[in-house]
Amino acid sequence: FGTGSRFSRGDVADEERQLDVLVRAVLRLSHAAVGGMVERGEGGIINVSSVAGYLPGGTYGAAKAWVTSFSEGLALELTGTGVHVLAVCPGFVRTEFHQRAGMDVRSIPDVWWLTPEQVVEQALTDLRRGRLVSIAGLHYRALTALARHTPRRLVGGVAARVRPRR
């Protein structure tokens, strides 16, 4: 779920619906699943976040940053229970997401696109390895590492240049 519009020009009701799907649903579904998993002593929760959570970018990026942070915190809370939690942080993935959000992605170079299979394969590998966060693609792992150590204003300027337009 993405609105595809800038916060300052968008409908606040759309922003709230986006938060309901990207944050509230993750919170409630994780909570609903975790009790039984802990009781059984095994299980896995995979929450879909995004590389966008590492970049300043309105409600969507903020919600995805929350998903990553929440997932990392829950994973650490559940250490030793047999339950593993993973935040999957894809970049651009060839799905209907951008089209449904009304985003123009024609200017995004092919090198930045991942297939759903690449994201899933990396996520399952990382879950088995006990990682907290899964980022498919060496270029996205480098981008997120760089974003974590670069001044936010500079990161935001670069992100604004590659962000899909509506």
Side-chain angles (χ1 to χ4, degrees):
F1 187 100
T3 63
S5 62
R6 294 181 183 272
F7 179 80
S8 60
R9 297 182 190 144
D11 181 353
V12 74
D14 288 342
E15 299 291 334
E16 289 176 325
R17 280 190 291 278
Q18 182 173 234
L19 284 175
D20 283 345
V21 171
L22 300 183
V23 174
R24 187 179 304 257
V26 169
L27 175 85
R28 294 187 63 90
L29 291 170
S30 295
H31 191 268
V34 76
M37 291 180 182
V38 169
E39 195 173 292
R40 285 189 305 278
E42 65 179 359
I45 296 172
I46 298 175
N47 289 324
V48 179
S49 187
S50 175
V51 166
Y54 292 93
L55 308 171
T59 304
Y60 183 83
K64 292 304 186 174
W66 182 89
V67 171
T68 301
S69 182
F70 168 76
S71 299
E72 290 173 316
L74 183 57
L76 295 173
E77 175 185 328
L78 297 173
T79 298
T81 66
V83 180
H84 303 280
V85 181
L86 179 71
V88 178
C89 298
F92 292 111
V93 182
R94 295 251 184 234
T95 67
E96 72 282 354
F97 171 79
H98 297 96
Q99 180 184 4
R100 289 187 66 175
M103 296 176 188
D104 181 1
V105 294
R106 292 175 293 181
S107 65
I108 307 299
D110 283 343
V111 69
W112 288 104
W113 288 97
L114 300 167
T115 66
E117 293 80 10
Q118 289 171 301
V119 175
V120 169
E121 182 178 324
Q122 185 68 57
L124 294 176
T125 297
D126 290 339
L127 184 66
R128 282 190 299 274
R129 291 179 177 163
R131 293 203 171 129
L132 305 182
V133 176
S134 178
I135 301 172
L138 182 59
H139 56 307
Y140 282 117
R141 287 192 292 279
L143 174 70
T144 56
L146 186 62
R148 285 191 299 259
H149 302 290
T150 302
R152 301 302 283 167
R153 186 170 295 282
L154 181 59
V155 172
V158 172
R161 287 184 191 74
V162 297
R163 189 170 292 123
R165 301 284 182 240
R166 184 164 201 192

